Amino acid sequence: MTTSAHPLVRLDAVHRQFHLGETVLDALKGVSLDIHAGEFLAVWGPSGSGKSTLMNILGLVDAPTAGAVWFDGRPTQTLADDALTEFRGSQVGFVFQSFNLVPVLSALENVMLPLQIRGMAEHEAKARAATALLDVGLAKFSANYPDKLSGGQRQRVAIARALAVHPKLVIADEPTANLDSENSRMVVELMREMNRAKGVTFVFTTHDPRLLDHVDRKILLRDGRIETDEVMA
Ligand SMILES: Nc1ncnc2c1ncn2[C@@H]1O[C@H](COP(=O)(O)OP(=O)(O)OP(=O)(O)O)[C@@H](O)[C@H]1O
Ligand SMILES: [Mg+2]
């Protein structure tokens, strides 16, 4: 846990509207939320409740139509697009439902990719990626291509890729949706372990209430609003 006074992310009365022709859809209807550095937090709730919309805003991929977002004490609405992209790239890692690994790259090369996109020299990216794969228990599989990895292993590579940039926050939207229950549990346990070992803040969404056993805090979203926000003892 950090001693910093401000939350890692603060949402203040966030609304997100989508315009679909004549109709306006309110996906988030005034969400206020502080996420503190070091938290391990799940967002759950029915389909269409606004989980992905919320994750995109927390991860600075999308901006609210009303309300404000602060990231590490900075008001993000004042950042220009390219500054925001750079800031997001250095602060936030993403894990996706469909893993999003590049099929023609090995596990190691997949983990290196975001580092090289950010301009890191190849030898340094390789060393960082190798460490990240070691951390998630996949050092032996570094040379494997995604089609030679199980679903659970692919998601562990994706977690290594997210962590390799040394982000403050990892956003994982339905990271276990394509996994069986055993691999789902392993992926949540791995995220938990990385959260504890590295102090990285994790926010993930899930439909599966069994995966909520591991979390510090769970937020139930319903119809674009926070229904409950429970901190575990
Ligand atoms: N880009 C978009 N354009 C229009 N409507 C959208 C868009 N993204 C989301 N919505 C709508 O906003 C609402 C919330 O969607 P969201 O994807 O955030 O829900 P969710 O909780 O992630 O659902 P699921 O569990 O199915 O992933 C839904 O009614 C959805 O149709
Ligand atoms: Mg979703």
PDB file of all heavy atoms in Angstrom, residues 186-210:
ATOM      1  N   MET A 186      -7.097 -20.006 -11.633  1.00  0.00           N
ATOM      2  CA  MET A 186      -5.646 -19.796 -11.700  1.00  0.00           C
ATOM      3  C   MET A 186      -5.286 -18.385 -12.157  1.00  0.00           C
ATOM      4  O   MET A 186      -4.343 -17.784 -11.643  1.00  0.00           O
ATOM      5  CB  MET A 186      -5.000 -20.813 -12.643  1.00  0.00           C
ATOM      6  CG  MET A 186      -4.721 -22.131 -11.962  1.00  0.00           C
ATOM      7  SD  MET A 186      -4.078 -23.360 -13.120  1.00  0.00           S
ATOM      8  CE  MET A 186      -2.641 -22.502 -13.727  1.00  0.00           C
ATOM      9  N   VAL A 187      -6.049 -17.879 -13.115  1.00  0.00           N
ATOM     10  CA  VAL A 187      -5.764 -16.535 -13.632  1.00  0.00           C
ATOM     11  C   VAL A 187      -6.053 -15.480 -12.556  1.00  0.00           C
ATOM     12  O   VAL A 187      -5.253 -14.561 -12.346  1.00  0.00           O
ATOM     13  CB  VAL A 187      -6.552 -16.280 -14.944  1.00  0.00           C
ATOM     14  CG1 VAL A 187      -6.714 -14.800 -15.231  1.00  0.00           C
ATOM     15  CG2 VAL A 187      -5.824 -16.959 -16.111  1.00  0.00           C
ATOM     16  N   VAL A 188      -7.144 -15.634 -11.832  1.00  0.00           N
ATOM     17  CA  VAL A 188      -7.442 -14.663 -10.766  1.00  0.00           C
ATOM     18  C   VAL A 188      -6.398 -14.777  -9.650  1.00  0.00           C
ATOM     19  O   VAL A 188      -5.927 -13.763  -9.128  1.00  0.00           O
ATOM     20  CB  VAL A 188      -8.876 -14.844 -10.217  1.00  0.00           C
ATOM     21  CG1 VAL A 188      -9.117 -13.930  -9.023  1.00  0.00           C
ATOM     22  CG2 VAL A 188      -9.893 -14.539 -11.306  1.00  0.00           C
ATOM     23  N   GLU A 189      -5.988 -16.009  -9.333  1.00  0.00           N
ATOM     24  CA  GLU A 189      -4.949 -16.185  -8.303  1.00  0.00           C
ATOM     25  C   GLU A 189      -3.617 -15.572  -8.738  1.00  0.00           C
ATOM     26  O   GLU A 189      -2.911 -14.979  -7.929  1.00  0.00           O
ATOM     27  CB  GLU A 189      -4.780 -17.663  -7.941  1.00  0.00           C
ATOM     28  CG  GLU A 189      -5.881 -18.117  -6.998  1.00  0.00           C
ATOM     29  CD  GLU A 189      -5.892 -19.617  -6.747  1.00  0.00           C
ATOM     30  OE1 GLU A 189      -4.987 -20.328  -7.252  1.00  0.00           O
ATOM     31  OE2 GLU A 189      -6.813 -20.077  -6.052  1.00  0.00           O
ATOM     32  N   LEU A 190      -3.311 -15.707 -10.023  1.00  0.00           N
ATOM     33  CA  LEU A 190      -2.066 -15.102 -10.527  1.00  0.00           C
ATOM     34  C   LEU A 190      -2.136 -13.574 -10.428  1.00  0.00           C
ATOM     35  O   LEU A 190      -1.174 -12.930  -9.982  1.00  0.00           O
ATOM     36  CB  LEU A 190      -1.820 -15.526 -11.979  1.00  0.00           C
ATOM     37  CG  LEU A 190      -0.625 -14.838 -12.644  1.00  0.00           C
ATOM     38  CD1 LEU A 190       0.695 -15.214 -11.972  1.00  0.00           C
ATOM     39  CD2 LEU A 190      -0.567 -15.177 -14.134  1.00  0.00           C
ATOM     40  N   MET A 191      -3.270 -13.010 -10.813  1.00  0.00           N
ATOM     41  CA  MET A 191      -3.402 -11.544 -10.715  1.00  0.00           C
ATOM     42  C   MET A 191      -3.259 -11.112  -9.261  1.00  0.00           C
ATOM     43  O   MET A 191      -2.607 -10.109  -8.953  1.00  0.00           O
ATOM     44  CB  MET A 191      -4.749 -11.082 -11.290  1.00  0.00           C
ATOM     45  CG  MET A 191      -4.857 -11.270 -12.791  1.00  0.00           C
ATOM     46  SD  MET A 191      -6.257 -10.376 -13.543  1.00  0.00           S
ATOM     47  CE  MET A 191      -7.654 -11.113 -12.728  1.00  0.00           C
ATOM     48  N   ARG A 192      -3.850 -11.896  -8.363  1.00  0.00           N
ATOM     49  CA  ARG A 192      -3.765 -11.594  -6.936  1.00  0.00           C
ATOM     50  C   ARG A 192      -2.313 -11.626  -6.444  1.00  0.00           C
ATOM     51  O   ARG A 192      -1.857 -10.760  -5.691  1.00  0.00           O
ATOM     52  CB  ARG A 192      -4.633 -12.605  -6.164  1.00  0.00           C
ATOM     53  CG  ARG A 192      -4.607 -12.460  -4.684  1.00  0.00           C
ATOM     54  CD  ARG A 192      -4.812 -11.025  -4.300  1.00  0.00           C
ATOM     55  NE  ARG A 192      -5.637 -10.859  -3.136  1.00  0.00           N
ATOM     56  CZ  ARG A 192      -5.850  -9.679  -2.569  1.00  0.00           C
ATOM     57  NH1 ARG A 192      -5.322  -8.576  -3.076  1.00  0.00           N
ATOM     58  NH2 ARG A 192      -6.601  -9.577  -1.523  1.00  0.00           N
ATOM     59  N   GLU A 193      -1.596 -12.663  -6.897  1.00  0.00           N
ATOM     60  CA  GLU A 193      -0.194 -12.812  -6.514  1.00  0.00           C
ATOM     61  C   GLU A 193       0.635 -11.620  -7.020  1.00  0.00           C
ATOM     62  O   GLU A 193       1.477 -11.076  -6.298  1.00  0.00           O
ATOM     63  CB  GLU A 193       0.299 -14.103  -7.172  1.00  0.00           C
ATOM     64  CG  GLU A 193       1.472 -14.770  -6.541  1.00  0.00           C
ATOM     65  CD  GLU A 193       1.820 -16.003  -7.382  1.00  0.00           C
ATOM     66  OE1 GLU A 193       0.928 -16.851  -7.647  1.00  0.00           O
ATOM     67  OE2 GLU A 193       2.994 -16.094  -7.804  1.00  0.00           O
ATOM     68  N   MET A 194       0.392 -11.213  -8.261  1.00  0.00           N
ATOM     69  CA  MET A 194       1.131 -10.083  -8.852  1.00  0.00           C
ATOM     70  C   MET A 194       0.776  -8.785  -8.122  1.00  0.00           C
ATOM     71  O   MET A 194       1.619  -7.926  -7.909  1.00  0.00           O
ATOM     72  CB  MET A 194       0.809  -9.960 -10.354  1.00  0.00           C
ATOM     73  CG  MET A 194       1.250 -11.146 -11.194  1.00  0.00           C
ATOM     74  SD  MET A 194       3.047 -11.342 -11.248  1.00  0.00           S
ATOM     75  CE  MET A 194       3.265 -12.808 -10.287  1.00  0.00           C
ATOM     76  N   ASN A 195      -0.493  -8.666  -7.742  1.00  0.00           N
ATOM     77  CA  ASN A 195      -0.945  -7.504  -6.964  1.00  0.00           C
ATOM     78  C   ASN A 195      -0.188  -7.428  -5.644  1.00  0.00           C
ATOM     79  O   ASN A 195       0.339  -6.377  -5.266  1.00  0.00           O
ATOM     80  CB  ASN A 195      -2.462  -7.639  -6.747  1.00  0.00           C
ATOM     81  CG  ASN A 195      -2.994  -6.819  -5.594  1.00  0.00           C
ATOM     82  OD1 ASN A 195      -3.262  -7.357  -4.515  1.00  0.00           O
ATOM     83  ND2 ASN A 195      -3.133  -5.522  -5.797  1.00  0.00           N
ATOM     84  N   ARG A 196      -0.064  -8.582  -4.972  1.00  0.00           N
ATOM     85  CA  ARG A 196       0.610  -8.595  -3.668  1.00  0.00           C
ATOM     86  C   ARG A 196       2.107  -8.395  -3.817  1.00  0.00           C
ATOM     87  O   ARG A 196       2.721  -7.640  -3.073  1.00  0.00           O
ATOM     88  CB  ARG A 196       0.347  -9.935  -2.968  1.00  0.00           C
ATOM     89  CG  ARG A 196      -1.086 -10.059  -2.473  1.00  0.00           C
ATOM     90  CD  ARG A 196      -1.135 -10.734  -1.095  1.00  0.00           C
ATOM     91  NE  ARG A 196      -2.440 -10.562  -0.476  1.00  0.00           N
ATOM     92  CZ  ARG A 196      -3.371 -11.520  -0.403  1.00  0.00           C
ATOM     93  NH1 ARG A 196      -3.136 -12.711  -0.929  1.00  0.00           N
ATOM     94  NH2 ARG A 196      -4.516 -11.277   0.187  1.00  0.00           N
ATOM     95  N   ALA A 197       2.693  -9.088  -4.808  1.00  0.00           N
ATOM     96  CA  ALA A 197       4.152  -9.060  -4.944  1.00  0.00           C
ATOM     97  C   ALA A 197       4.654  -7.715  -5.459  1.00  0.00           C
ATOM     98  O   ALA A 197       5.721  -7.267  -5.070  1.00  0.00           O
ATOM     99  CB  ALA A 197       4.606 -10.178  -5.896  1.00  0.00           C
ATOM    100  N   LYS A 198       3.901  -7.078  -6.322  1.00  0.00           N
ATOM    101  CA  LYS A 198       4.393  -5.869  -6.985  1.00  0.00           C
ATOM    102  C   LYS A 198       3.636  -4.621  -6.585  1.00  0.00           C
ATOM    103  O   LYS A 198       3.995  -3.519  -7.012  1.00  0.00           O
ATOM    104  CB  LYS A 198       4.318  -6.044  -8.507  1.00  0.00           C
ATOM    105  CG  LYS A 198       5.171  -7.209  -8.967  1.00  0.00           C
ATOM    106  CD  LYS A 198       5.084  -7.452 -10.441  1.00  0.00           C
ATOM    107  CE  LYS A 198       5.798  -8.723 -10.826  1.00  0.00           C
ATOM    108  NZ  LYS A 198       7.214  -8.720 -10.414  1.00  0.00           N
ATOM    109  N   GLY A 199       2.566  -4.786  -5.814  1.00  0.00           N
ATOM    110  CA  GLY A 199       1.784  -3.615  -5.406  1.00  0.00           C
ATOM    111  C   GLY A 199       0.998  -2.990  -6.546  1.00  0.00           C
ATOM    112  O   GLY A 199       0.491  -1.876  -6.426  1.00  0.00           O
ATOM    113  N   VAL A 200       0.895  -3.713  -7.680  1.00  0.00           N
ATOM    114  CA  VAL A 200       0.136  -3.173  -8.815  1.00  0.00           C
ATOM    115  C   VAL A 200      -1.355  -3.271  -8.501  1.00  0.00           C
ATOM    116  O   VAL A 200      -1.823  -4.294  -7.993  1.00  0.00           O
ATOM    117  CB  VAL A 200       0.441  -3.958 -10.111  1.00  0.00           C
ATOM    118  CG1 VAL A 200      -0.352  -3.407 -11.285  1.00  0.00           C
ATOM    119  CG2 VAL A 200       1.925  -3.946 -10.400  1.00  0.00           C
ATOM    120  N   THR A 201      -2.078  -2.220  -8.806  1.00  0.00           N
ATOM    121  CA  THR A 201      -3.524  -2.185  -8.606  1.00  0.00           C
ATOM    122  C   THR A 201      -4.195  -2.941  -9.757  1.00  0.00           C
ATOM    123  O   THR A 201      -3.830  -2.737 -10.917  1.00  0.00           O
ATOM    124  CB  THR A 201      -3.987  -0.718  -8.609  1.00  0.00           C
ATOM    125  OG1 THR A 201      -3.183  -0.006  -7.675  1.00  0.00           O
ATOM    126  CG2 THR A 201      -5.460  -0.592  -8.250  1.00  0.00           C
ATOM    127  N   PHE A 202      -5.133  -3.821  -9.419  1.00  0.00           N
ATOM    128  CA  PHE A 202      -5.872  -4.553 -10.456  1.00  0.00           C
ATOM    129  C   PHE A 202      -7.355  -4.251 -10.326  1.00  0.00           C
ATOM    130  O   PHE A 202      -7.907  -4.272  -9.224  1.00  0.00           O
ATOM    131  CB  PHE A 202      -5.717  -6.075 -10.288  1.00  0.00           C
ATOM    132  CG  PHE A 202      -4.454  -6.658 -10.858  1.00  0.00           C
ATOM    133  CD1 PHE A 202      -3.250  -6.546 -10.169  1.00  0.00           C
ATOM    134  CD2 PHE A 202      -4.460  -7.327 -12.079  1.00  0.00           C
ATOM    135  CE1 PHE A 202      -2.082  -7.095 -10.691  1.00  0.00           C
ATOM    136  CE2 PHE A 202      -3.300  -7.874 -12.608  1.00  0.00           C
ATOM    137  CZ  PHE A 202      -2.107  -7.761 -11.919  1.00  0.00           C
ATOM    138  N   VAL A 203      -7.987  -4.020 -11.463  1.00  0.00           N
ATOM    139  CA  VAL A 203      -9.448  -3.966 -11.514  1.00  0.00           C
ATOM    140  C   VAL A 203      -9.871  -4.932 -12.608  1.00  0.00           C
ATOM    141  O   VAL A 203      -9.400  -4.829 -13.742  1.00  0.00           O
ATOM    142  CB  VAL A 203      -9.973  -2.553 -11.851  1.00  0.00           C
ATOM    143  CG1 VAL A 203     -11.506  -2.540 -11.800  1.00  0.00           C
ATOM    144  CG2 VAL A 203      -9.413  -1.515 -10.884  1.00  0.00           C
ATOM    145  N   PHE A 204     -10.710  -5.908 -12.257  1.00  0.00           N
ATOM    146  CA  PHE A 204     -11.196  -6.823 -13.289  1.00  0.00           C
ATOM    147  C   PHE A 204     -12.712  -6.959 -13.213  1.00  0.00           C
ATOM    148  O   PHE A 204     -13.317  -6.709 -12.175  1.00  0.00           O
ATOM    149  CB  PHE A 204     -10.495  -8.194 -13.212  1.00  0.00           C
ATOM    150  CG  PHE A 204     -10.868  -9.058 -12.029  1.00  0.00           C
ATOM    151  CD1 PHE A 204     -11.810 -10.074 -12.174  1.00  0.00           C
ATOM    152  CD2 PHE A 204     -10.274  -8.879 -10.795  1.00  0.00           C
ATOM    153  CE1 PHE A 204     -12.148 -10.897 -11.101  1.00  0.00           C
ATOM    154  CE2 PHE A 204     -10.605  -9.696  -9.709  1.00  0.00           C
ATOM    155  CZ  PHE A 204     -11.545 -10.696  -9.862  1.00  0.00           C
ATOM    156  N   THR A 205     -13.299  -7.337 -14.334  1.00  0.00           N
ATOM    157  CA  THR A 205     -14.733  -7.582 -14.346  1.00  0.00           C
ATOM    158  C   THR A 205     -14.970  -9.074 -14.496  1.00  0.00           C
ATOM    159  O   THR A 205     -14.139  -9.798 -15.055  1.00  0.00           O
ATOM    160  CB  THR A 205     -15.440  -6.869 -15.516  1.00  0.00           C
ATOM    161  OG1 THR A 205     -14.934  -7.398 -16.744  1.00  0.00           O
ATOM    162  CG2 THR A 205     -15.220  -5.367 -15.476  1.00  0.00           C
ATOM    163  N   THR A 206     -16.087  -9.518 -14.001  1.00  0.00           N
ATOM    164  CA  THR A 206     -16.450 -10.927 -14.139  1.00  0.00           C
ATOM    165  C   THR A 206     -17.960 -11.102 -14.017  1.00  0.00           C
ATOM    166  O   THR A 206     -18.652 -10.268 -13.447  1.00  0.00           O
ATOM    167  CB  THR A 206     -15.739 -11.804 -13.089  1.00  0.00           C
ATOM    168  OG1 THR A 206     -16.079 -13.168 -13.327  1.00  0.00           O
ATOM    169  CG2 THR A 206     -16.131 -11.445 -11.666  1.00  0.00           C
ATOM    170  N   HIS A 207     -18.413 -12.201 -14.618  1.00  0.00           N
ATOM    171  CA  HIS A 207     -19.800 -12.628 -14.434  1.00  0.00           C
ATOM    172  C   HIS A 207     -19.889 -13.698 -13.355  1.00  0.00           C
ATOM    173  O   HIS A 207     -20.970 -14.073 -12.932  1.00  0.00           O
ATOM    174  CB  HIS A 207     -20.320 -13.267 -15.731  1.00  0.00           C
ATOM    175  CG  HIS A 207     -20.833 -12.281 -16.706  1.00  0.00           C
ATOM    176  ND1 HIS A 207     -20.128 -11.892 -17.818  1.00  0.00           N
ATOM    177  CD2 HIS A 207     -21.983 -11.589 -16.738  1.00  0.00           C
ATOM    178  CE1 HIS A 207     -20.841 -11.005 -18.488  1.00  0.00           C
ATOM    179  NE2 HIS A 207     -21.967 -10.800 -17.848  1.00  0.00           N
ATOM    180  N   ASP A 208     -18.717 -14.226 -12.972  1.00  0.00           N
ATOM    181  CA  ASP A 208     -18.691 -15.436 -12.155  1.00  0.00           C
ATOM    182  C   ASP A 208     -18.500 -15.108 -10.678  1.00  0.00           C
ATOM    183  O   ASP A 208     -17.398 -14.746 -10.260  1.00  0.00           O
ATOM    184  CB  ASP A 208     -17.541 -16.333 -12.658  1.00  0.00           C
ATOM    185  CG  ASP A 208     -17.519 -17.683 -11.953  1.00  0.00           C
ATOM    186  OD1 ASP A 208     -18.250 -17.848 -10.942  1.00  0.00           O
ATOM    187  OD2 ASP A 208     -16.760 -18.558 -12.401  1.00  0.00           O
ATOM    188  N   PRO A 209     -19.547 -15.238  -9.872  1.00  0.00           N
ATOM    189  CA  PRO A 209     -19.446 -14.875  -8.453  1.00  0.00           C
ATOM    190  C   PRO A 209     -18.404 -15.703  -7.686  1.00  0.00           C
ATOM    191  O   PRO A 209     -17.867 -15.248  -6.680  1.00  0.00           O
ATOM    192  CB  PRO A 209     -20.844 -15.125  -7.889  1.00  0.00           C
ATOM    193  CG  PRO A 209     -21.666 -15.669  -8.980  1.00  0.00           C
ATOM    194  CD  PRO A 209     -20.865 -15.761 -10.229  1.00  0.00           C
ATOM    195  N   ARG A 210     -18.045 -16.888  -8.216  1.00  0.00           N
ATOM    196  CA  ARG A 210     -17.039 -17.707  -7.519  1.00  0.00           C
ATOM    197  C   ARG A 210     -15.671 -17.047  -7.512  1.00  0.00           C
ATOM    198  O   ARG A 210     -14.825 -17.352  -6.680  1.00  0.00           O
ATOM    199  CB  ARG A 210     -16.912 -19.080  -8.208  1.00  0.00           C
ATOM    200  CG  ARG A 210     -18.086 -19.996  -7.926  1.00  0.00           C
ATOM    201  CD  ARG A 210     -17.997 -21.242  -8.760  1.00  0.00           C
ATOM    202  NE  ARG A 210     -17.981 -20.904 -10.188  1.00  0.00           N
ATOM    203  CZ  ARG A 210     -17.927 -21.802 -11.174  1.00  0.00           C
ATOM    204  NH1 ARG A 210     -17.866 -23.087 -10.901  1.00  0.00           N
ATOM    205  NH2 ARG A 210     -17.930 -21.421 -12.435  1.00  0.00           N
TER     206      ARG A 210
END
